[in-house]
Amino acid sequence: DTAVSQTPKYLVTQMGNDKSIKCEQNLGHDTMYWYKQDSKKFLKIMFSYNNKELIINETVPNRFSPKSPDKAHLNLHINSLELGDSAVYFCASSQRGLAANEQFFGPGTRLTVL
Amino acid sequence: KNEVEQSPQNLTAQEGEFITINCSYSVGISALHWLQQHPGGGIVSLFMLSSGKKKHGRLIATINIQEKHSSLHITASHPRDSAVYICAVKGYQKVTFGTGTKLQVIP
């Protein structure tokens, strides 16, 4: 009954490969997010989707493409992986309109690019 | 200068102490978010607030919009409170994070 789940938990891959990270939430939320946490533990938002529509797109290379097939899923596809993409990627969800707008985070996916 | 500054960066406290973590920001915001990241990496949302004060258990968060400042207080601290506490401010279509405050509570 996990609220926000991500797969895989760990991903080790070679430079130049294309990979995807999947995120699913069963909370009925209408907004989902992708965050990147670098080696210095600094969190940064990458994307935000509301009802399958992109509403935040920070300065992220276009090698990163989020895909939201429905409100419950927001997958992150990364093309031509680079060493600097190594980080922990967190998915989160929230419900717009609720007073708290509290976000629920997934467990994270640790991506290592060799 | 970062848009969101947290202090202190590191904090060590004895069990039972009252703890305060500060967050100052320089941009207009619609809400401020306090997050807790456990040593294992998991992130938990503690509070989202846009005015006044919120309390949950031993945790209290306050925000002063005029002064662009928020504080997170932990009463009767416990070793299980050891974590990194992150402040994030929500502007128009943008979220900016502080660099976090690493708290260690010693028994």
Side-chain angles (χ1 to χ4, degrees):
Chain A
D1 59 349
T2 306
V4 183
S5 59
Q6 293 179 230
T7 53
K9 192 170 181 181
Y10 300 96
L11 182 53
V12 181
T13 188
Q14 299 281 345
M15 269 176 58
N17 284 349
D18 303 338
K19 290 293 178 187
S20 291
I21 307 172
K22 295 185 177 180
C23 178
E24 177 181 1
Q25 54 95 4
N26 62 7
L27 298 165
H29 288 167
D30 60 3
T31 306
M32 296 184 72
Y33 311 81
W34 275 110
Y35 293 90
K36 179 180 179 181
Q37 188 171 43
D38 60 25
S39 57
K40 295 180 181 175
K41 304 292 186 184
F42 190 65
L43 261 176
K44 185 175 178 181
I45 192 167
M46 299 174 70
F47 302 101
S48 171
Y49 265 74
N50 177 258
N51 277 325
K52 296 171 56 182
E53 182 184 342
L54 181 65
I55 56 172
I56 292 178
N57 181 1
E58 290 294 310
T59 49
V60 176
N62 57 14
R63 297 183 295 104
F64 290 78
S65 52
K67 288 182 170 51
S68 182
D70 54 57
K71 273 177 35 174
H73 296 85
L74 182 62
N75 303 324
L76 183 65
H77 190 75
I78 315 170
N79 288 329
S80 303
L81 278 155
E82 299 177 358
L83 293 176
D85 298 332
S86 295
V88 180
Y89 293 84
F90 288 95
C91 175
S93 73
S94 68
Q95 180 63 31
R96 188 179 263 194
L98 286 184
N101 248 186
E102 182 182 0
Q103 291 187 24
F104 292 79
F105 284 79
T109 295
R110 182 175 291 278
L111 171 65
T112 303
V113 182
L114 303 174
Chain B
K1 188 178 188 298
N2 291 334
E3 290 179 333
V4 182
E5 298 273 358
Q6 283 186 238
S7 63
Q9 284 190 317
N10 293 283
L11 181 56
T12 301
Q14 289 292 131
E15 184 173 356
E17 282 186 13
F18 180 82
I19 288 161
T20 296
I21 298 170
N22 297 300
C23 175
S24 296
Y25 53 92
S26 56
V27 295
I29 69 168
S30 59
L32 184 142
H33 202 174
W34 280 103
L35 304 166
Q36 179 193 53
Q37 185 165 29
H38 296 289
I43 298 176
V44 175
S45 174
L46 297 176
F47 297 103
M48 177 83 82
L49 65 167
S50 55
S51 65
K53 174 177 163 178
K54 286 190 176 180
K55 185 176 189 293
H56 186 259
R58 295 180 294 107
L59 300 178
I60 303 166
T62 63
I63 187 168
N64 185 319
I65 296 293
Q66 286 74 29
E67 294 184 5
K68 291 188 163 68
H69 181 268
S70 175
S71 293
L72 177 68
H73 306 285
I74 305 175
T75 60
S77 60
H78 190 276
R80 65 174 174 266
D81 297 326
S82 298
V84 175
Y85 292 83
I86 302 167
C87 163
V89 299
K90 189 176 175 186
Y92 177 68
Q93 290 193 330
K94 185 178 177 181
V95 177
T96 307
F97 289 83
T99 51
T101 294
K102 186 173 182 180
L103 170 66
Q104 185 178 15
V105 181
I106 300 170

